[in-house]
Amino acid sequence: MAQRPLLIFKTVSTELQTNREMIDIINRQRARKINSTQWREFGKRAFRAVDSARQDATIVFVSDAAIRKLNREFRGKDYATDVLSFPTKAEEFEHENKSNLGEVVISVQRAAVQAKQNGLRFSNEIEQLILHGLLHLCGYDHETDNGEMNRLELRLRKKLGI
């Protein structure tokens, strides 16, 4: 989990918020068509399953090159990864947005490779990555929590039918 990239993906949503969840979808890659409605609806379902009080987030779809650059810049790791999470933290000049958790950035190319390697549909892999990223935004960290995040993620996958 890394601090969010300053203004890289920050958006101002013009949608009317009809539910308590607001999921913005941004597609910054061209390798694969992205169904924004499908991923927005899944994000809302995942938030309800996680039962987070804060339920606004942005899901960004990028290329391997873009996620490699982010991974190098914010984690010091020079390779493409599947998903990165950037929790919202107000800058000195901003008011804190207490409902927005942050951004989940997903490499569509990594997702396609992993889906094939694991015998999954691409959509199932994206669902797993969205859920994983949202759990990081909610404060879970599989690198330090002795398996707590992994156990929760497996339970939530079952609950969500992933």
Side-chain angles (χ1 to χ4, degrees), residues 10-134:
K10 192 170 184 180
T11 62
V12 177
S13 178
T14 57
E15 294 181 39
L16 292 175
Q17 188 169 352
T18 55
N19 295 341
R20 44 182 228 155
E21 310 94 1
M22 177 70 75
I23 306 290
D24 286 322
I25 304 296
I26 299 174
N27 185 17
R28 295 278 189 247
Q29 56 81 45
R30 295 183 184 147
R32 198 168 189 127
K33 186 169 173 57
I34 295 298
N35 182 333
S36 295
T37 302
Q38 175 185 5
W39 301 123
R40 184 176 297 110
E41 291 307 312
F42 178 78
K44 290 177 182 181
R45 284 183 42 232
F47 262 139
R48 286 190 290 271
V50 172
D51 199 28
S52 170
R54 297 170 61 188
Q55 298 203 348
D56 295 356
T58 301
I59 300 169
V60 186
F61 294 95
V62 299
S63 66
D64 269 359
I67 208 160
R68 180 180 181 176
K69 182 178 177 184
L70 291 170
N71 203 23
R72 182 176 51 243
E73 184 175 344
F74 293 97
R75 298 181 66 226
K77 299 182 187 251
D78 191 18
Y79 58 85
T81 189
D82 52 2
V83 61
L84 293 171
S85 299
F86 297 96
T88 296
K89 182 175 182 251
E91 301 299 325
E92 289 180 24
F93 58 89
E94 295 179 309
H95 294 290
E96 185 175 0
N97 180 345
K98 294 183 181 181
S99 68
N100 190 292
L101 283 170
E103 300 158 347
V104 175
V105 182
I106 296 172
S107 167
V108 171
Q109 292 163 300
R110 287 290 96 220
V113 167
Q114 289 174 184
K116 187 174 184 176
Q117 288 173 340
N118 296 316
L120 298 172
R121 292 188 338 257
F122 176 76
S123 61
N124 288 126
E125 184 67 22
I126 293 292
E127 288 170 341
Q128 289 180 21
L129 295 175
I130 289 172
L131 177 61
H132 187 86
L134 290 177

